[in-house]
Amino acid sequence: MLIFSVFKTLTDQTVSVELKNDLSITGTLKSVDQFLNIRLDNIKVQDEARHPHMMAVKNCFIRGSVVRYVQLPAEHVDTQLLEDATRRETAVQKR
Amino acid sequence: MDASSSGIQEPFDLIRLSLSERVFVKLRGDRELTGVLHAYDGHMNLILSDVEETIMIVDQVEGAPEGHATVNVAKRKMEMLFVRGDGVILVSPPSRT
Amino acid sequence: MDDSTPPPPPPAAAEPPPPPTTSGSPTDFLKGVVGKRVVVRLTSGVDYRGILSCLDGYMNIALEQTEEHVNGRVTNRYGDAFIRGNNVLYISAAEPL
C-alpha cells in the first residue's frame, strides 16, 4: 500500500519503466493501481531501433508483474517521508 | 523464536534496521544493486537512491571446461529507483560489526 | 549436484514423547535450527551457509556470518543477509541439533 501511495504522488511526473524483457519505456505517469499496474502517456522507447514495432505507440498500460524497475524523479521523492512512512507501516503490521 | 545476538525477531527486522543505509541487493537475472534504502514493503518492493547496478554477463567460452567462462560486467547508475520485489533474491545491510 | 548436506529429514512418524528437533514436524525442525549453522539452498543452486537468525512463514530468512557458495566455491560473504523466501529450496542443519 505504501509503494502504491508513493506512485500516486508521482502522477503526471516523468518516469522510466524497465520491463523484465529489458524493454525500457519513458513516459508521463498517468495512473497506477494497487497491483502497481501503470499507465503511461507520451511514451518513448529506449533503443527504438531494437523495438521498431513500438515507434507508433503513444501510450500504454503496463502490467505490474512485468516491471523490473521504475526510475523515479528524485526531486519529487521525499526520502525522509518515505522512511518514516515505512517505519509506520511496519509498526502497524506487527500485531 | 529468540534471536541469537542482534535482537532480530523476524527477517524483516533486518531490512527495517537498514532504512537510510546503503544496502546490497542481489536480483534475478545476474544483477546486483547497491543503494540507499528509503522504503520497502512485505513483497520486498524497494525504493533506493544513489543506485549502482551491476549486470554480470557470462560468456561461456566454446569448448572450454565448465566454469571457465569469462564474466563481463556492465555497470550503470540511477538516481532514484523502484525495484519490484519479485526479482529480489537477497538483501544485505551494511556490516554492523 | 555436489556432495553438500542433505535436505531436512522428513517428519517422523508419531512418537509419543517427541525428543526435541531430531524428529517431529517441519515446524519443530525449523524451531530447532534457529541460532544454529545452516545451509540454505536456493532453487538456482546457490548455497548460503551461515547462522540462522530467524525466519517467517514465507520462508524469508535472516542469516548471520553468511558465505555464498556457487559450485562449491565461496563467492561472497555477508555479515547479515535477508533471503526472500520464494527463492528457497531447502534449509539444512549444518551442525548437530
Side-chain angles (χ1 to χ4, degrees), chain C residues 2-27:
Chain C
D2 55 22
D3 56 349
S4 48
T5 23
E15 205 176 300
T21 66
T22 49
S23 69
S25 68
T27 311

Side-chain angles (χ1 to χ4, degrees), chain C:
Chain C
M1 292 273 164
D2 55 22
D3 56 349
S4 48
T5 23
E15 205 176 300
T21 66
T22 49
S23 69
S25 68
T27 311
D28 293 339
F29 170 80
L30 291 175
K31 280 184 182 156
V33 289
V34 171
K36 299 284 203 303
R37 298 204 69 83
V38 294
V39 181
V40 177
R41 173 158 297 182
L42 307 191
T43 50
S44 61
V46 178
D47 280 354
Y48 290 92
R49 294 173 162 267
I51 298 166
L52 181 63
S53 302
C54 57
L55 73 176
D56 66 15
Y58 296 107
M59 288 264 212
N60 292 323
I61 290 171
L63 285 179
E64 290 172 37
Q65 300 170 34
T66 307
E67 287 180 347
E68 177 183 81
H69 291 249
V70 180
N71 300 321
R73 275 190 293 274
V74 177
T75 47
N76 245 326
R77 290 176 208 275
Y78 310 102
D80 283 301
F82 172 101
I83 299 172
R84 198 175 187 265
N86 67 308
N87 301 294
V88 174
L89 181 63
Y90 65 66
I91 303 167
S92 167
E95 63 175 299
L97 297 184

Side-chain angles (χ1 to χ4, degrees), chain A residues 3-14:
Chain A
I3 304 268
F4 171 43
S5 309
V6 174
F7 276 107
K8 275 198 291 189
T9 67
L10 293 173
T11 45
D12 294 319
Q13 303 296 335
T14 301

